[in-house]
Amino acid sequence: MPKNPLHTKLCDMLEIEFPVMAFTHCKDVVVAVVNAGGFACLGEAMHPPDRISQDINWIRERVGGKPFGVDLVLPSSAPPAGTVDKLHEGIPDDYWAYARSILDKYDVPPPKAEQDLHTWGGLNQEIAREQMDVVLEEKAPVFCSGLGSPHFMVEAAHERGMKVMGLVGKKRQAVRELEAGVDAIIAQGYDAAGHTGPIGTFSVVPEVVSVAGDTPVVAAGGISTGQHLAAALCLGAAGVWTGSMWLCSRESDTDMVMKEKLLAADADSTVYSSSISGFSMRVTRCPWTDEWAKADALKPLHSPYQMLLSSEYIQGANDHRRGDLMTEAAGQGIGFVTEMKPARQMMFDMVEEALETFENLTGVMPG
Amino acid sequence: MAGPSNEIPGRRGLEPSAVDRRAECEGGGPLPGTRWAARMEFTGRLTGEYVDHGDPPWRWYLMVDLEKKPDQWEWKSAWCESSSLYYDDDSGPPGALSGSAPGRAPSPGAETSEGKD
């Protein structure tokens, strides 16, 4: 019987059935994906250490010893701190007026509660370190660094029986992380959601594979179908890292209005815009991104000023569930997600389509 | 706006082999108030000042004379995480002379200069 192309070294390393990794902020999705034979990583960058500890144990109780991961964002460059009130003073009047004009034009309701940005003290090295320490203390099976090198904690993680993965956007970042001893590299392309590197998935994956040796490389960026999975394996990846597609799963806690928007989206529905945060990031198009993209629009401000400007729009839209206004970080692969299904079904559909793709290529049904 | 030289907590020191070295930093970080992060690239000169944060130490170098920085960066300097720095010369990462592994901070006992909190 021909070799099963979906059984990769990533499967062996993580003891998983399918080489599919899910990134999600919803722990129900983590449990569903892990119990369906995949691997999932819970994004915890926004949570304090005690919440991270609770989440790890909650998942652990529901996956029967199967591995899962925790994803943090490690800062790798840092500005000074500042208070929100002080930052407000730094926004020019014409920008407040422009933001106000958008709110008025689209009848954006005011947020129901204090804006999140005003209650969040900002993340810095100290917070990241505290988050990291609890992940080590709880011995989460896998630590994934969504940004920044985890080099300084690889040894400590290995001593605790944990595995460490780093997400990179360039070959030389991968080289650095491999030198540090990470167990797998996630190579993420420009198609991905949020703030990405400049290199496309089809280029960055084989570049990273070329330097990774026996270390598994996981392809990320715009991946949401079995065809994508098959293509990633053909590029030399040992698996795929998926994110946006799980926002639409039945288990996901994404607002139903937003889910419907995502299910209706195509690849052209995302835009690389700095109007949300001040840094370019891939999000679904919305009136706010459209207005800031106009030829006569003001140039988006520096971060965090632009976030202060956009936060009223975003939170107002979310609090009042205004589908015509809402936006979400999503990759270009979102266009292939057209049905809300249980995560388990999404996983099986992806695997089945990948196997069909290989069969179509070779004329042989993989084993 | 003033540089961030005194803003980050940790054990401070000066690494002689890093002084005046030119480097690129492939930096970035989380964006406060969101679950997003941003990649940010810098090019500039290291002063040699460092901060080791926590244990095991997580080392950061101060970069000044920024020639390349994100459009949105309004400060005159940046703290750069040691493993995110790439050097113009090929004499190895700072601290290599004191026996630390590439990209890693020396252990506290092997610091190359007097650290201070």
Side-chain angles (χ1 to χ4, degrees):
Chain A
M1 181 174 282
K3 177 181 179 292
N4 177 0
L6 300 190
H7 188 89
T8 68
K9 54 188 172 187
L10 183 74
C11 298
D12 290 335
M13 186 182 85
L14 294 174
E15 297 180 1
I16 54 177
E17 197 171 351
F18 308 121
V20 177
M21 302 175 73
F23 169 78
T24 174
H25 292 97
C26 177
K27 53 186 190 288
D28 294 281
V29 174
V30 170
V31 169
V33 169
V34 168
N35 285 329
F39 179 87
C41 217
L42 184 66
E44 290 276 19
M46 279 285 283
H47 291 157
D50 57 342
R51 168 71 184 272
I52 295 172
S53 175
Q54 287 167 18
D55 288 349
I56 289 171
N57 287 301
W58 190 92
I59 294 169
R60 194 169 259 147
E61 288 166 9
R62 287 161 176 80
V63 295
K66 299 185 193 76
F68 60 93
V70 172
D71 180 285
L72 296 175
V73 173
L74 303 177
S76 48
S77 57
T83 66
V84 170
D85 287 343
K86 193 79 179 168
L87 293 171
H88 261 276
E89 295 169 11
I91 298 178
D93 289 344
D94 54 341
Y95 277 81
W96 284 118
Y98 190 65
R100 187 75 252 161
S101 73
I102 298 172
L103 298 176
D104 291 343
K105 180 176 177 181
Y106 294 96
D107 192 24
V108 180
K112 287 182 177 175
E114 192 176 17
Q115 285 163 258
D116 288 341
L117 200 58
H118 294 73
T119 57
W120 181 248
L123 284 163
N124 57 27
Q125 296 93 329
E126 206 158 12
I127 294 172
R129 186 86 211 200
E130 288 169 4
Q131 292 174 319
M132 173 88 63
D133 286 346
V134 79
V135 172
L136 289 170
E137 191 181 309
E138 292 290 351
K139 297 179 184 170
V142 176
F143 170 71
C144 303
S145 172
L147 187 144
S149 173
H151 67 102
F152 61 95
M153 54 76 67
V154 169
E155 198 174 317
H158 285 167
E159 284 170 2
R160 290 161 175 78
M162 298 167 56
K163 292 189 165 42
V164 180
M165 302 184 184
L167 189 149
V168 303
K170 290 183 182 178
K171 181 170 74 173
R172 72 178 183 180
Q173 295 166 351
V175 169
R176 222 17 111 64
E177 297 206 6
L178 289 161
E179 286 171 353
V182 297
D183 300 284
I185 293 277
I186 302 150
Q188 185 200 50
Y190 178 71
D191 321 28
H195 298 87
T196 74
I199 304 171
T201 304
F202 254 64
S203 294
V204 73
V205 171
E207 273 209 328
V208 171
V209 168
S210 73
V211 296
D214 290 335
T215 304
V217 175
V218 182
I223 293 170
S224 59
T225 71
Q227 289 178 322
H228 291 143
L229 169 57
L233 299 181
C234 290
L235 291 173
V240 290
W241 173 269
T242 54
S244 305
M245 61 185 283
W246 306 106
L247 292 169
C248 300
S249 69
R250 206 170 276 279
E251 292 86 348
S252 166
D253 58 3
T254 302
D255 189 293
M256 190 57 72
V257 175
M258 191 68 228
K259 279 188 188 180
E260 287 168 359
K261 279 192 69 141
L262 292 168
L263 292 170
D266 58 28
D268 196 34
S269 300
T270 71
V271 62
Y272 208 56
S273 171
S274 57
S275 69
I276 303 287
S277 69
F279 291 99
S280 296
M281 60 182 291
R282 189 175 301 289
V283 295
T284 55
R285 280 183 57 192
C286 69
W288 181 267
T289 59
D290 287 350
E291 289 293 330
W292 286 90
K294 286 182 174 173
D296 59 351
L298 296 172
K299 184 182 174 191
L301 287 171
H302 307 162
S303 178
Y305 300 121
Q306 189 68 25
M307 273 193 300
L308 287 168
L309 277 179
S310 67
S311 60
E312 185 171 348
Y313 170 94
I314 291 172
Q315 197 166 332
N318 290 342
D319 284 356
H320 296 270
R321 306 181 73 222
R322 283 276 301 274
D324 57 325
L325 303 174
M326 291 162 80
T327 183
E328 176 63 90
Q332 292 179 330
I334 195 65
F336 299 95
V337 185
T338 57
E339 261 186 278
M340 187 177 71
K341 294 184 282 193
R344 183 180 191 82
Q345 188 63 50
M346 293 170 79
M347 173 71 71
F348 291 165
D349 287 351
M350 183 180 237
V351 166
E352 193 172 330
E353 186 181 279
L355 291 172
E356 281 173 11
T357 302
F358 281 116
E359 186 182 4
N360 290 339
L361 285 171
T362 63
V364 178
M365 173 61 93
Chain B
M1 189 171 284
S5 58
N6 294 313
E7 301 274 355
I8 78 172
R11 298 179 297 278
R12 292 172 181 275
L14 182 75
E15 170 55 58
S17 67
V19 174
D20 287 339
R21 286 188 72 180
R22 286 181 42 76
E24 290 176 54
C25 172
E26 295 197 334
L31 298 173
T34 77
R35 55 192 190 191
W36 302 320
R39 293 188 181 276
M40 305 174 210
E41 296 186 355
F42 302 86
T43 303
R45 177 177 65 82
L46 302 184
T47 65
E49 291 172 69
Y50 70 79
V51 172
D52 281 343
H53 189 76
D55 183 30
W58 189 12
R59 176 160 290 194
W60 296 71
Y61 284 104
L62 185 64
M63 179 182 282
V64 296
D65 299 341
L66 301 179
E67 294 169 17
K68 179 180 178 184
K69 59 182 184 174
D71 288 344
Q72 298 84 358
W73 193 264
E74 60 192 284
W75 298 282
K76 292 178 179 172
S77 57
W79 282 103
C80 298
E81 195 274 323
S82 61
S83 189
S84 302
L85 286 165
Y86 299 84
Y87 300 94
D88 285 5
D89 57 56
D90 56 1
S91 57
L97 296 175
S98 61
S100 62
R104 294 189 190 184
S107 62
E111 285 179 357
T112 54
S113 60
E114 289 287 319
K116 57 181 185 292
D117 288 328

